[in-house]
């Protein structure tokens, strides 16, 4: 009898909590900044999507249709395979969206995403080191997928990876599955709100990334890893690429532009479901020398770092040097003189009533590497 009563009380609390979350989700709207002028040099896209060519639920065409409605410029498919040749063949312009494809390889150390490689007749090795080398030999580059899916870091030292997934929505949501049960009704009402609420903090991945960058040059990716619920997934996380020239209408040239920007770290990541992040900029200057995000320069005195965060929402900008937050500001234009060599990057936290946890950055830039000796790289 008593047991039943306790069970009933627990269930009642759970239901009330769940209803309260649903009620909260109703008032949530992604922050949008209508005053911002779109620049044709900034494009937005999604990295890491599965289609029916592996374990995704929709076809490339269906996903491209949704991506077009979501206002995306590009999507990067990463179907399983070594490589996935059908997915690779489905690349092209679809519904005005640039559809690119790499492959997600299962290798000895975990999952590895290969991008921008030329299709060869032989498959890539299942050995992580050999696969990285094989992708490079085919003209491509590789990104470590969901680095902590094996609980512990399994990737050793850098052997030529170009990037690491600092956020993987699929794994970070799965890890929190038990805690997300009360969100189920809210998930139906406002998926973006619930997904942001459930998302786990990426601090472990960010710390690892900073550690690797002391001796390497690795770029950070927000990875959607979408298999289903594409409509919400395409609105969740985004990569913002800063181009030198507007995106070409020629497929091969446009493909080259996107992959070249990813290879050189000229992109930042944003939790798009929380707020629109278009217009963020981070670059370095010394006299006439301009170092774009992702770039490397020999450290000399008189080097200024510039951050632009022209957003009308309450936010806090953190400048991070070698993994340590060295400067915080709520200003929209920041000039900071770098007094030491180091790896500098930016995180922006939303301080509006946001469903994002306090530890979860809304924007994560790629670093600017001010090295004591240029030869340190790679
Ligand atoms: Zn994977
Ligand atoms: Zn995947």
């Amino acid at each position: 009898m008593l047991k039943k009563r306790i069970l009933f009380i627990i269930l009642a609390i759970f239901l009330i909590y769940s209803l309260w979350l649903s009620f909260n989700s109703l008032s949530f709207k992604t922050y949008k900044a209508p005053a911002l002028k779109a620049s044709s040099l900034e494009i937005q896209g999604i990295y890491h999507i599965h289609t029916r060519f592996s374990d995704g639920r929709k076809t490339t065409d269906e996903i491209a249709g949704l991506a077009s409605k979501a206002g995306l410029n590009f999507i990067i498919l990463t179907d399983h395979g070594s490589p996935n040749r059908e997915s690779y063949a489905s690349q092209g312009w679809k519904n005005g969206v640039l559809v690119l494809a790499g492959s997600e390889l299962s290798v000895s150390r975990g999952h590895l995403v290969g991008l921008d490689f030329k299709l060869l007749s032989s498959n890539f090795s299942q050995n992580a080191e050999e696969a990285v080398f094989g992708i490079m030999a085919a003209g491509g580059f590789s990104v470590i997928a969901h680095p902590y899916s094996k609980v512990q870091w399994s990737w050793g030292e850098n052997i030529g990876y170009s990037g690491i997934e600092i956020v993987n929505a699929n794994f970070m949501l799965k890890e929190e599955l038990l805690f997300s049960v009360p969100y189920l009704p809210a998930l139906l009402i406002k998926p973006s709100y619930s997904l942001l609420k459930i998302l786990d903090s990426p601090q472990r991945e960010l710390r690892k990334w900073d550690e690797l960058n002391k001796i390497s040059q690795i770029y950070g990716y927000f990875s959607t890893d979408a298999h289903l619920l594409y409509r919400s997934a395409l609105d969740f996380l985004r990569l913002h690429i800063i181009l030198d020239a507007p995106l070409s209408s020629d497929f091969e040239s446009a493909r080259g532009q996107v992959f070249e920007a990813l290879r050189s770290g000229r992109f930042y990541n944003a939790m798009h479901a929380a707020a629109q992040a278009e217009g963020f900029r981070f670059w370095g200057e010394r006299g006439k020398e301009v170092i774009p995000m992702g770039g490397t320069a020999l450290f000399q005195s008189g080097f200024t770092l510039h951050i632009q965060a022209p957003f009308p929402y309450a936010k806090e900008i953190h400048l991070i040097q070698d993994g340590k937050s060295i400067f915080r500001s709520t200003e929209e234009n920041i000039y900071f003189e770098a007094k030491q060599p180091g790896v500098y990057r930016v995180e922006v936290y939303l301080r509006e009533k946001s469903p994002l946890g306090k530890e979860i950055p809304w924007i994560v830039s790629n670093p600017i590497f001010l090295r004591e000796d240029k030869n340190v790289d790679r």
Side-chain angles (χ1 to χ4, degrees), residues 80 104 111 146:
H80 297 284
E104 184 171 14
H111 284 180
H146 42 82

Side-chain angles (χ1 to χ4, degrees), residues 48 50 80 104 111 145-146 168 171 225:
H48 203 144
H50 293 272
H80 297 284
E104 184 171 14
H111 284 180
H146 42 82
N168 180 295
F171 271 86
D225 208 352

Side-chain angles (χ1 to χ4, degrees), residues 119-288:
L119 208 55
L120 305 175
S121 54
S122 59
N123 278 359
F124 296 121
S125 168
Q126 287 185 344
N127 171 282
E129 283 75 8
E130 285 173 21
V132 169
F133 185 75
I135 291 164
M136 259 196 269
F141 62 99
S142 51
V143 178
I144 298 172
H146 42 82
Y148 283 101
S149 53
K150 289 200 168 178
V151 186
Q152 277 189 349
W153 178 255
S154 58
W155 294 90
E157 299 289 310
N158 185 20
I159 49 145
Y161 311 109
S162 165
I164 177 174
E165 293 183 359
I166 44 177
V167 165
N168 180 295
N170 187 31
F171 271 86
M172 283 173 163
L173 293 173
K174 265 192 207 158
E175 271 183 12
E176 298 293 301
L177 210 58
L178 198 65
F179 301 101
S180 57
V181 177
Y183 287 97
L184 286 178
L187 198 63
L188 295 173
I189 304 168
K190 271 279 167 69
S192 51
Y193 172 87
S194 316
L195 293 174
L196 288 169
K197 272 286 202 189
I198 301 165
L199 196 70
D200 199 12
S201 161
Q203 292 300 329
R204 178 177 55 170
E205 285 77 3
L206 291 169
R207 280 198 299 274
K208 188 72 203 181
W209 182 34
D210 289 325
E211 194 187 306
L212 292 169
N213 271 338
K214 282 181 185 158
I215 48 162
S216 305
Q217 184 158 333
I218 294 192
Y219 300 123
Y221 288 73
F222 275 12
S223 159
T224 302
D225 208 352
H227 294 75
L228 66 171
L229 297 172
Y230 291 94
R231 208 180 298 267
S232 308
L234 295 176
D235 259 333
F236 194 41
L237 309 175
R238 289 195 181 172
L239 261 55
H240 292 246
I241 287 181
I242 315 297
L243 297 169
D244 293 329
L247 192 64
S248 171
S249 54
D250 171 65
F251 172 72
E252 280 304 327
S253 312
R255 181 179 194 272
Q257 280 179 288
V258 168
F259 281 139
E260 191 44 47
L262 298 184
R263 277 176 191 271
S264 48
R266 280 201 313 276
F267 66 97
Y268 64 90
N269 304 279
M271 306 267 177
H272 178 81
Q276 204 176 35
E278 199 170 340
F280 171 84
R281 293 289 183 278
F282 176 46
W283 75 99
E285 258 177 41
R286 187 177 177 274
K288 283 192 178 142

